[in-house]
Amino acid sequence: MSSADGPLVVGVDSSTQSTKALVVDAATGAVVASGQAPHTVSAGQGRESDPEQWWTALCEALRQCGEAAHRASAVSVGGQQHGLVTLDAAGRPVRPALLWNDVRSAPQARRLIDEMGGPKAWAERVGSVPGASFTVTKWAWLAEHEPDAVRATAAVRLPHDYLTQRLTGDGTTDRGDASGTGWWASATESYDDDILARVGLDPALLPRVVRPGEVAGTVHASGELPFSKGTLVAAGTGDNAAAALGLGLRPGTPVLSLGTSGTVYAVSRHRPTDPTGTVAGFADARGDWLPLACTLNCTLAVDRVAALLGLDREAVEPGGDITLLPYLDGERTPDLPHASGLLHGLRHDTTGGQLLQAAYDGAVHALLGALGLVLDADADLSVPLLLIGGGARGTAWQQTVRRLSGRAVQVPEARELVALGAAAQAAGLLTGEDPAAVARRWGTAQGPVLDPVEQDAAALARISGVLSDAAPLLDRGPR
């Protein structure tokens, strides 16, 4: 950690598995202190977490930051997207939050698409075609399966909204995270009354959408936290929008993020409306757009395959014609929420390392398939692909992305880009700057560039062929 030259800000990343906090020098971007604490997620098709754990983890992460957090002038929270948090009249969780990777609402998603005019109508109205990840489908599922919980709900929040409200006492969100709910219309940049009426959700239960650059509130009490009372609180945003801020992303630069889920996205000045549903037409946290495609299975799925084989995650081997679709949690891209993993082409001479490489290939194939849809038609394909997330520093991940994309790959040296993006948003409150410009001033995207290699078109075609042939079986799921 380093000493500070300017005012201090705190950036928070409340992810699926843990909450991280960074105290950052607003002048230089230097990380002065950091902390991290875990939270738990239920297993199985239903993925849930207790929001109180997020708050406890935030308090612990800030405690680890020590005196530096107390000296911070502003704070912002980036959080996992889509999660449904239901609060009672006292602000306590009615039940555990339904997380982004809870796929139980797939039937509700399909019903809502049909009832509201089909995929094209949803894309034009909301910017996205809702799948089981979207919050609107989770509310529909809850209304159908747990009506008592719905009746007890006095406020509906997203994960980052919940933590921001615990800081300020006010219910707020931002356009970036709101755009992933399915009830915020990108065409009008407002909540959609017709969609809310369709799912029986009173708009009075929803948070106020804070504009980019606006102060969401101030820290209203310091009993559990090291902040001084009155510390400014920024709007916060969803994790992908926060990472885009953390990179200082300009339009046309593609990002591939390797985490529990995988994402590809780019900033665009054009509002996305993909009727296939592959690309979610998210807003970013600044005023532009963040077309994004997300897979449910990325590093966690590949690590699970490595564990089953008793191999280190880097123990890949070339060769063979084996295909592994690692859809261990169902899948979002392609839209196969009931799918399980599928293995094709196993031979007597297939090695464990080749099988592991096939898992990497299957995960990256799904992301690269959406990359062309995410980028604007006039995007410069010579621009390096920014590789971020927990898997970005893994040699096997880097080489797989290079081989299957045929593009140059840049790996930013900065870590914890979601928390850094939140910190840049907090810094923008103090300086009046665009948060992305703050991050560019900090140099967060700098890192080595790996030259392109010849694209492995044969592997891509083989995986696409297996996926096409197996789609009916995958859509049916295990029996």
Side-chain angles (χ1 to χ4, degrees), residues 81-82 100 239-241 243 254-266 282 290-298 332-333 363 366-368 370-371 374 385-389:
Q81 289 185 262
H82 302 307
W100 58 273
D239 51 5
N240 290 298
V255 177
L256 195 155
S257 178
L258 302 169
T260 302
S261 65
T263 56
V264 287
Y265 56 86
F282 295 149
L290 196 71
L292 177 148
C294 176
T295 64
L296 296 183
N297 299 278
C298 195
R332 172 172 167 175
T333 303
L367 289 165
L368 293 180
L371 183 59
V374 164
L385 181 61
L386 290 178
L387 197 63
I388 67 170

Side-chain angles (χ1 to χ4, degrees), residues 244-249 420-421 424 433-445:
L245 289 183
L247 288 164
L249 208 59
L420 280 173
E433 291 176 273
D434 174 352
V438 172
R440 289 194 291 271
R441 176 161 56 76
W442 291 350
T444 52

Side-chain angles (χ1 to χ4, degrees), residues 178-349:
S179 67
T181 60
W183 55 58
W184 185 85
S186 65
T188 61
E189 297 211 26
S190 62
Y191 292 130
D192 190 303
D193 290 336
D194 291 341
I195 293 173
L196 293 172
R198 173 68 63 175
V199 297
L201 178 55
D202 183 350
L205 274 58
L206 298 177
R208 177 176 67 90
V209 181
V210 177
R211 296 186 303 274
E214 182 184 351
V215 176
T218 59
V219 175
H220 71 108
S222 56
E224 297 176 89
L225 298 171
F227 295 127
S228 300
K229 188 173 182 180
T231 301
L232 296 179
V233 181
T237 193
D239 51 5
N240 290 298
L245 289 183
L247 288 164
L249 208 59
R250 298 182 187 273
T253 300
V255 177
L256 195 155
S257 178
L258 302 169
T260 302
S261 65
T263 56
V264 287
Y265 56 86
V267 169
S268 174
R269 297 209 165 93
H270 309 290
R271 186 175 74 90
T273 56
D274 176 17
T276 72
T278 301
V279 175
F282 295 149
D284 76 353
R286 298 173 51 257
D288 287 327
W289 303 94
L290 196 71
L292 177 148
C294 176
T295 64
L296 296 183
N297 299 278
C298 195
T299 59
L300 197 63
V302 171
D303 284 353
R304 180 57 180 154
V305 172
L308 288 170
L309 295 170
L311 295 175
D312 181 271
R313 62 170 64 107
E314 295 288 343
V316 296
E317 297 178 30
D321 293 321
I322 192 167
T323 298
L324 200 165
L325 304 178
Y327 303 160
L328 306 190
D329 283 324
E331 190 45 79
R332 172 172 167 175
T333 303
D335 185 19
L336 297 166
H338 302 298
S340 57
L342 185 143
L343 175 64
H344 180 267
L346 191 64
R347 301 289 186 182
H348 280 290
D349 59 353

Side-chain angles (χ1 to χ4, degrees), residues 58-98:
L58 174 58
C59 292
E60 172 57 23
L62 290 170
R63 186 197 64 77
Q64 293 172 21
C65 293
E67 175 61 22
H70 181 74
R71 293 189 286 119
S73 300
V75 58
S76 180
V77 178
Q80 55 178 306
Q81 289 185 262
H82 302 307
L84 175 64
V85 181
T86 51
L87 304 177
D88 63 18
R92 294 184 296 263
V94 171
R95 67 176 315 285
L98 301 174

Side-chain angles (χ1 to χ4, degrees), residues 28 133-134 185 222 224 252 361 401 412 414 467 475:
T28 66
S133 296
F134 280 68
S222 56
E224 297 176 89
D361 286 1
V401 172
L467 175 58
D475 195 36

